[in-house]
């Protein structure tokens, strides 16, 4: 039986969305009788108090750096990638399946560690690197070269799983397999929402903070209390009027669930200058809670994807992605 190696920057006890998604994929495939290991670095991006999952976890010894500067972030990326390369060279055998996320972006090179071993390679793309660097003001010609090269590298994988239709790359090996709620939550008619609006998770440098702020002002004028349980450099762009609304990220799942139920409106925001970068994964928890989702700054492909998601049956998504990986593993 081929072994499936799912590689992501972080593993438990990290509580970031990509980590939890990979964890749930690993658990589902393991329960289906597959041989699966989830592999990640020893750092932690987002605190989490959830119990250790009953899966094979490989936590590599890497140093976690503060994420205050680009240099610190890139340093951690290179250290994690170096350990991943060593793991793949040592542990991934002929006939195995290498499932790689784009966290960190350097993972796109990992297929070269075993490209002569007959290993199947699957790249799960949560965000599209050429689009995610647009906000860094990369010169136009340099950006075109990066996009051309990135797409060429993606085309070398057996499969590229896009988690939303708007995410860039349209190669022949691309398939769309959408995400799902990462916590156990469903509409609860016993909890009446308060007149509050909620933003959770990361507010990064690529997010459309201006559109988000405009919506917050509109909601405040209508009498809503706006709360940011968030982190990220985008918080620095919030005006003084909204600074008191910043509460910090949730450190455990029960607190997140309580807030999702209590807030009548859940806010998500688009990205600056592109509709191909990513799609906010927090929407799936919000939809499962039964609360209203208000999207800020969504245009083009992101708006089309939003309309599709609002009408989708997310309960089947985990099974669909896991089944696709299982099918590729046994081809």
């Amino acid at each position: 039986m081929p072994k499936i190696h799912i590689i992501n920057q972080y593993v438990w006890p990290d509580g970031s969305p990509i980590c939890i998604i990979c964890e749930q994929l690993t658990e589902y495939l393991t329960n289906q009788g597959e041989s699966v290991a989830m592999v990640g670095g020893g750092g932690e991006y987002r605190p989490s108090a959830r119990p250790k999952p009953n899966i094979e976890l490989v936590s590599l010894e890497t140093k976690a750096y503060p994420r205050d500067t680009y240099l610190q972030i890139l340093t951690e990326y290179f250290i994690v990638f170096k350990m991943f390369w060593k793991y793949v060279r040592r542990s991934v055998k002929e006939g195995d399946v290498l499932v790689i996320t784009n966290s960190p972006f350097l993972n796109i090179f990992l297929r070269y560690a075993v490209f002569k071993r007959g290993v199947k390679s699957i790249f799960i793309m949560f965000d599209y690197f050429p689009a995610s660097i647009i906000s860094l003001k990369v010169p136009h010609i340099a950006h075109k070269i990066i996009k051309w090269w990135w797409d060429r590298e993606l085309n070398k994988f057996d499969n590229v799983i896009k988690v939303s239709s708007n995410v860039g790359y349209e190669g022949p090996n691309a398939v769309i397999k959408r995400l799902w709620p990462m916590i156990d939550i469903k509409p609860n008619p016993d909890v009446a929402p308060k007149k509050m609006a909620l933003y959770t998770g990361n507010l990064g440098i690529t997010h459309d903070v201006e559109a988000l702020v405009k919506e917050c002002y509109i909601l405040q004028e209508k009498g809503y209390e706006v709360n940011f349980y968030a982190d990220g450099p985008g918080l620095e762009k919030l005006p003084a009027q909204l600074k008191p609304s910043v509460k910090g990220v949730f450190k455990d799942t029960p607190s997140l669930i309580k807030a999702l139920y209590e807030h009548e409106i859940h806010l998500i925001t688009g990205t600056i200058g592109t509709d191909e970068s990513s799609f906010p994964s927090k929407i799936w928890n919000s939809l499962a809670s039964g609360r209203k989702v208000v999207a800020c700054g969504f245009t083009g492909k992101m708006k089309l994807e939003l309309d599709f998601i609002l009408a989708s049956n997310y309960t089947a998504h985990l099974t669909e992605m896991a089944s696709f990986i299982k099918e590729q593993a046994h081809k």
Side-chain angles (χ1 to χ4, degrees):
M1 175 186 292
K3 182 154 190 172
I4 302 171
H5 307 260
I6 299 180
I7 297 182
N8 181 61
Q9 183 169 356
Y10 301 111
V11 294
W12 180 91
D14 178 61
S16 60
I18 298 180
C19 176
I20 294 174
I21 288 160
C22 291
E23 194 176 285
Q24 292 172 347
L25 264 179
T26 303
E27 185 174 34
Y28 186 96
L29 287 165
T30 300
N31 292 339
Q32 290 288 305
E34 299 299 314
S35 175
V36 194
M38 181 176 173
V39 184
E44 187 177 4
Y45 171 57
R46 183 150 295 152
S48 170
R50 71 187 192 285
K52 186 176 182 179
N54 186 27
I55 58 175
E56 182 181 345
L57 281 174
V58 180
S59 183
L60 304 175
E61 293 186 10
T62 58
K63 182 179 179 181
Y65 283 79
R67 299 173 64 87
D68 300 325
T69 67
Y70 288 123
L71 179 59
Q72 290 172 330
I73 293 171
L74 286 173
T75 299
E76 182 175 348
Y77 284 174
F78 277 103
I79 291 173
V80 169
F81 174 75
K82 181 180 178 181
M83 295 303 295
F84 283 169
W85 184 276
K86 289 181 178 179
Y87 170 85
V88 171
R89 292 287 296 171
R90 179 182 68 249
S91 303
V92 179
K93 311 300 182 184
E94 182 176 355
D96 284 356
V97 181
L98 194 57
V99 180
I100 306 166
T101 76
N102 58 250
S103 179
F105 71 93
L106 293 169
N107 281 355
I108 199 168
F109 296 112
L110 284 178
R111 57 175 295 278
Y112 288 109
V114 288
F115 77 101
K116 291 184 178 180
R117 292 188 191 173
V119 172
K120 292 180 181 177
S121 59
I122 300 174
F123 193 82
I124 304 181
M125 193 161 60
F126 293 86
D127 57 68
Y128 182 54
F129 180 72
S132 67
I133 62 173
I134 286 177
S135 63
L136 301 180
K137 309 298 182 184
V138 177
H140 179 68
I141 186 64
H143 186 265
K144 286 187 69 174
I145 293 171
I146 291 171
K147 177 177 168 55
W148 169 82
W149 171 79
W150 195 261
D151 286 356
R152 189 186 69 167
E153 291 301 312
L154 287 173
N155 193 53
K156 294 176 182 178
F157 283 84
D158 291 296
N159 305 101
V160 174
I161 297 176
K162 297 170 40 168
V163 302
S164 59
S165 65
N166 67 293
V167 173
Y169 183 66
E170 303 295 338
N173 57 343
V175 295
I176 300 169
K177 300 294 176 184
R178 291 179 174 85
L179 302 180
W180 52 87
M182 285 146 273
I183 56 177
D184 186 12
I185 189 171
K186 58 185 178 181
N188 187 348
D190 296 330
V191 180
K194 300 175 183 177
K195 198 168 184 178
M196 298 191 298
L198 174 70
Y199 185 93
T200 64
N202 179 256
L203 189 60
I205 56 174
T206 63
H207 285 127
D208 192 341
V209 177
E210 182 178 347
L212 179 62
V213 168
K214 286 181 180 178
E215 184 61 38
C216 288
Y217 283 161
I218 292 171
L219 290 170
Q220 286 181 331
E221 289 175 0
K222 293 179 179 179
Y224 282 86
E225 175 187 328
V226 178
N227 293 308
F228 287 83
Y229 288 90
D231 59 9
L235 293 175
E236 298 299 321
K237 299 179 182 179
L238 293 179
Q241 181 178 333
L242 291 175
K243 292 288 187 183
S245 303
V246 178
K247 311 291 175 65
V249 295
F250 295 108
K251 299 188 184 302
D252 59 81
T253 302
S255 298
L256 170 60
I257 291 175
K258 183 174 182 289
L260 291 173
Y261 281 141
E262 286 183 341
H263 289 74
E264 180 183 335
I265 291 175
H266 297 176
L267 298 166
I268 57 175
T269 188
T271 49
I272 303 170
T274 178
D275 57 2
E276 294 188 338
S277 175
S278 61
F279 199 94
S281 59
K282 63 174 68 71
I283 191 174
W284 300 106
N285 290 337
S286 295
L287 291 177
S289 73
R291 297 299 182 239
K292 180 181 179 181
V293 175
V294 173
C296 313
F298 277 51
T299 59
K301 294 179 181 179
M302 287 196 77
K303 179 62 169 62
L304 291 174
E305 176 66 4
L306 174 65
D307 293 341
F308 187 94
I309 284 176
L310 292 176
S312 69
N313 175 22
Y314 56 78
T315 60
H317 290 176
L318 171 57
T319 300
E320 289 171 359
M321 187 182 292
S323 297
F324 178 80
I325 293 172
K326 181 177 179 178
E327 178 185 334
Q328 300 308 309
H330 293 281
K331 266 190 174 180

